[in-house]
Amino acid sequence: MNLYDILGVSKNASTQEIRQSYKKLALQYHPDKNPSGHEQFKHIARAYETLSDPSSRHVYDAYGDIGLQAFDQWRDVPMIQLLVSPVGVLLIIVGIITLYGLLVTQPILIGRHADPPSEVHGSWWLTFLPLWLFDALFCTGLCLLVPLSPVLRGSSHTANPPGTKLGCTDRLTMCLTWAQFLSIVVFQALVINSLDNVTEPLYSWWVAFAPYLAFELICLGGVVENCREAVNQKTQLPLPSVNPTGSASSSTSTQIPNIPTLGPKHYTTIVVLCIIKHSASWICRVAFGLLMPYQLSLQPLERMSWALVFAPVFVLGFGKYIYAMVNQHWNSKLAPTAEEEHQHNIAFWVVGVVGGIVCILQGSSLLMIVQRFTAIDSGYPEDAYRFSVIFIPLYVTLGLLGCVLFCFCCTACGLMFGLNHATTVQNDQNNMQPHMSNSHQANSPAQPESAPLVGGDYDDDLD
């Protein structure tokens, strides 16, 4: 069933022509005026919904109904529109491989520079070359996100039409994103310059960490917005209430099977956890940004314990792990069907096992970093862990991440080629149907003509 034929327009029709045709056909087949046109009216509405949206229309033109079904299931995933073309898939795969290579290369260069013998090392600026390449890729991504920002805000139905300017919300979001990016770049430059001039510092460590604190100050607005959204979502949940007969009923007309088993305290717990997650994460990052320059500004023998300095990092990592576990638990409790509950239970155990392994690995790396800094401050650098040993857990984590990225790349390629094959098969079947129809009409007795229900000229009346 071709959507263009349903609306009676050509494949190159403009958005205005599609809209005019839809209005005309909607009046003709509306159930109030034409009771027998109910099914046809549903087809017309679906065709207009698809062809009036630029992203959906592009997917339909490229992959047909099969690609459209897959796109509708994943359209809210950021930048999923890039997966609808081979060029987009190629860009994503190349970007992932490049970023993964930078993640692997950077620890090697740091270990080579910081571990003895120190006389063979050059400038820290060259050591952090992969970091600058990552910043360049991120900057390129920001430039590409300007036209895609309406799509990334949510469903493509809310995106601005092509050729229109960005709204105030989109402009403010992009400005804040650029401000965050520039503050991090300045922070990196100041820290690397300080490492190159440790014996004769040009400025204090507080100056070097000032852009990082500015970055966190900008992030505070997002934290407040996330907390506000968590409170608003609680007020929109169908809380169970008890009627005079003593039976539980939902405060809204929409009943979800598992929700009446939870009381208002459970919803309050969920909202409090969301607020703690966003606010505590920001507090831990700010605390680390304040403790680190304070520690570095002191003399080695006057410094406090490095375990206290890295305590916010430990709390942040393990806190996110615990929140992910609790979140999956509540998702299984709120699942409307047994199948979704089973899926959330599986996700609970996957997050628990994989997240636990990652937390243990990264926690061991942080403990070794604390031991290294403590030994150097105590005057025993020979007892400090080498970075080649400290980064072993990191490389194990990167190995697990590499397996996930490899599966993602294979899935993206398989999805693209699968959709292309399915589209080819579907087009061949559609091309065969007119020939089969003509052959059937030639071998069958003549039938009285009637108005077509699908396709054809919709300007004629059904009578």
Side-chain angles (χ1 to χ4, degrees):
M1 184 183 299
N2 191 291
L3 300 183
Y4 291 99
D5 291 340
I6 292 177
L7 293 180
V9 296
S10 64
K11 192 173 182 179
N12 298 325
S14 63
T15 304
Q16 184 67 22
E17 293 174 348
I18 293 174
R19 184 182 297 109
Q20 292 177 353
S21 179
Y22 166 72
K23 290 181 179 180
K24 183 178 180 180
L25 294 174
L27 292 175
Q28 180 179 351
Y29 290 99
H30 196 280
D32 293 342
K33 296 184 178 181
N34 189 352
S36 61
H38 178 71
E39 290 296 327
Q40 186 64 24
F41 181 78
K42 290 170 56 177
H43 294 317
I44 293 171
R46 175 182 175 273
Y48 175 72
E49 180 183 5
T50 300
L51 300 182
S52 61
D53 179 61
S55 300
S56 299
R57 183 177 180 180
H58 173 71
V59 173
Y60 179 76
D61 292 342
Y63 302 106
D65 290 329
I66 298 177
L68 187 62
Q69 294 174 5
F71 178 75
D72 287 338
Q73 294 179 358
W74 299 93
R75 68 188 308 152
D76 291 335
V77 178
M79 298 190 74
I80 192 63
Q81 286 77 13
L82 292 178
L83 290 176
V84 302
S85 64
V87 177
V89 173
L90 181 61
L91 289 176
I92 291 178
I93 293 177
V94 171
I96 289 176
I97 294 176
T98 304
L99 293 178
Y100 187 76
L102 295 179
L103 288 175
V104 173
T105 306
Q106 185 63 78
I108 296 177
L109 295 179
I110 292 177
R112 184 179 179 275
H113 191 126
D115 290 337
S118 59
E119 60 271 7
V120 301
H121 306 308
S123 173
W124 279 99
W125 290 93
L126 295 178
T127 301
F128 283 98
L129 180 61
L131 181 62
W132 297 115
L133 294 177
F134 175 83
D135 292 338
L137 290 176
F138 192 84
C139 180
T140 304
L142 283 181
C143 296
L144 294 176
L145 285 181
V146 172
L148 290 176
S149 59
V151 177
L152 297 180
R153 282 192 288 109
S155 174
S156 57
H157 287 294
T158 61
N160 296 333
T164 60
K165 296 182 179 180
L166 296 177
C168 295
T169 303
D170 298 318
R171 291 181 179 178
L172 178 61
T173 301
M174 292 306 302
C175 289
L176 292 178
T177 304
W178 274 106
Q180 291 174 327
F181 171 71
L182 293 177
S183 60
I184 289 297
V185 171
V186 174
F187 166 67
Q188 294 171 2
L190 292 177
V191 169
I192 294 174
N193 190 60
S194 297
L195 292 175
D196 265 346
N197 301 276
V198 175
T199 56
E200 299 178 358
L202 302 177
Y203 42 81
S204 67
W205 284 101
W206 287 105
V207 175
F209 275 79
Y212 174 78
L213 296 176
F215 166 81
E216 294 296 347
L217 185 62
I218 299 174
C219 293
L220 180 61
V223 173
V224 174
E225 179 65 20
N226 291 331
C227 295
R228 186 183 66 83
E229 290 181 357
V231 175
N232 291 339
Q233 289 177 359
K234 175 183 180 299
T235 60
Q236 296 173 2
L237 289 173
L239 297 177
S241 59
V242 179
N243 56 28
T245 61
S247 60
S249 62
S250 177
S251 60
T252 63
S253 59
T254 303
Q255 295 267 354
I256 301 179
N258 286 346
I259 281 184
T261 62
L262 302 177
K265 292 184 178 180
H266 296 87
Y267 294 102
T268 303
T269 303
I270 296 174
V271 174
V272 170
L273 286 175
C274 291
I275 295 176
I276 291 176
K277 174 210 171 185
H278 297 297
S279 59
S281 175
W282 183 81
I283 292 173
C284 289
R285 298 197 307 265
V286 172
F288 178 75
L290 293 174
L291 290 173
M292 182 60 79
Y294 174 77
Q295 180 82 330
L296 295 174
S297 300
L298 299 175
Q299 295 298 323
L301 297 179
E302 299 176 353
R303 292 173 179 173
M304 56 184 174
S305 172
W306 281 98
L308 181 61
V309 176
F310 283 93
V313 182
F314 282 98
V315 174
L316 178 62
F318 285 99
K320 285 184 175 295
Y321 170 68
I322 295 174
Y323 174 81
M325 295 285 292
V326 175
N327 186 47
Q328 290 297 333
H329 172 72
W330 284 112
N331 285 339
S332 63
K333 290 285 186 181
L334 296 173
T337 62
E339 181 181 357
E340 293 187 13
E341 182 179 1
H342 178 66
Q343 294 175 354
H344 285 298
N345 287 333
I346 295 177
F348 174 82
W349 288 107
V350 171
V351 170
V353 174
V354 178
I357 294 174
V358 172
C359 283
I360 293 174
L361 292 173
Q362 301 311 308
S364 61
S365 289
L366 286 176
L367 290 175
M368 286 188 286
I369 291 176
V370 169
Q371 189 276 339
R372 177 184 175 89
F373 289 165
T374 303
I376 293 175
D377 288 346
S378 301
Y380 301 99
E382 64 277 2
D383 296 336
Y385 281 106
R386 296 171 61 93
F387 274 109
S388 58
V389 177
I390 293 175
F391 287 141
I392 289 178
L394 176 61
Y395 280 114
V396 175
T397 305
L398 289 176
L400 296 176
L401 178 62
C403 295
V404 175
L405 294 178
F406 177 78
C407 295
F408 173 80
C409 294
C410 293
T411 303
C413 293
L415 176 63
M416 182 187 66
F417 290 114
L419 287 176
N420 283 329
H421 176 70
T423 304
T424 303
V425 173
Q426 188 180 39
N427 292 334
D428 293 340
Q429 292 177 352
N430 293 336
N431 293 331
M432 289 294 294
Q433 287 180 357
H435 300 288
M436 296 176 62
S437 177
N438 294 335
S439 176
H440 176 72
Q441 292 178 1
N443 297 329
S444 61
Q447 299 291 337
E449 295 182 357
S450 60
L453 292 179
V454 179
D457 187 4
Y458 287 94
D459 294 335
D460 300 334
D461 296 329
L462 289 175
D463 296 331

